[in-house]
Amino acid sequence: TAPAQSGPDTQDKPSNINSNTQAAKHSTRKIKRALSPRQVRALETLLTGPCSREKLDRVTGASNGPNVIMQLRRRGITIQCRMEGHIDRDGIAGRHGVYWLPDSERQRIGSLKLLGD
């Protein structure tokens, strides 16, 4: 489902944010080491818009996408998450995470040239 909000810093921001999964702001902190290939693939995907945990697993080649997100957060990258409900193929209700980068973090990643040219 698409976010219901609009505006410059809410373009990709969903309305049902899980505050327990938000990273602290690290806007002035630099990332000193090179990113791993999985981390690069995750960031490239997040720069295109919100990404579900399942999609993150596929694009990173990891079986634990939230671990890749945790690694990026520990490096000072702000990644936010919302939990969305779903019904699985057996008709059972569940929830899954959808990750996104705030607009300010997208700009910072571009200015740090983390992903090359």
Side-chain angles (χ1 to χ4, degrees):
T1 50
Q5 301 173 347
S6 64
D9 202 38
T10 59
Q11 183 175 5
D12 292 323
K13 188 185 293 184
S15 59
N16 57 340
I17 299 168
N18 181 342
S19 61
N20 293 330
T21 60
Q22 288 186 19
K25 297 282 183 188
H26 298 287
S27 61
T28 59
R29 198 161 128 191
K30 287 265 190 183
I31 291 93
K32 296 180 180 170
R33 297 175 315 199
L35 298 174
S36 74
R38 284 182 177 179
Q39 293 168 344
V40 168
R41 290 190 295 267
L43 270 183
E44 287 173 341
T45 301
L46 289 168
L47 284 168
T48 67
C51 179
S52 70
R53 182 257 165 94
E54 292 80 7
K55 180 179 177 183
L56 191 63
D57 287 353
R58 284 192 306 274
V59 299
T60 62
S63 60
N64 189 357
N67 187 293
V68 177
I69 295 296
M70 179 189 66
Q71 293 168 0
L72 290 168
R73 286 175 171 164
R74 285 183 177 167
R75 299 185 77 159
I77 299 170
T78 300
I79 301 171
Q80 296 182 323
C81 181
R82 72 176 179 260
M83 298 303 289
E84 289 190 350
H86 65 264
I87 305 293
D88 72 11
R89 70 175 78 183
D90 299 316
I92 299 170
R95 293 170 60 81
H96 65 275
V98 176
Y99 299 95
W100 84 95
L101 296 169
D103 289 342
S104 57
E105 194 67 358
R106 290 170 185 260
Q107 294 167 1
R108 187 175 80 94
I109 288 168
S111 70
L112 292 174
K113 299 185 181 191
L114 294 175
L115 303 175
D117 293 329

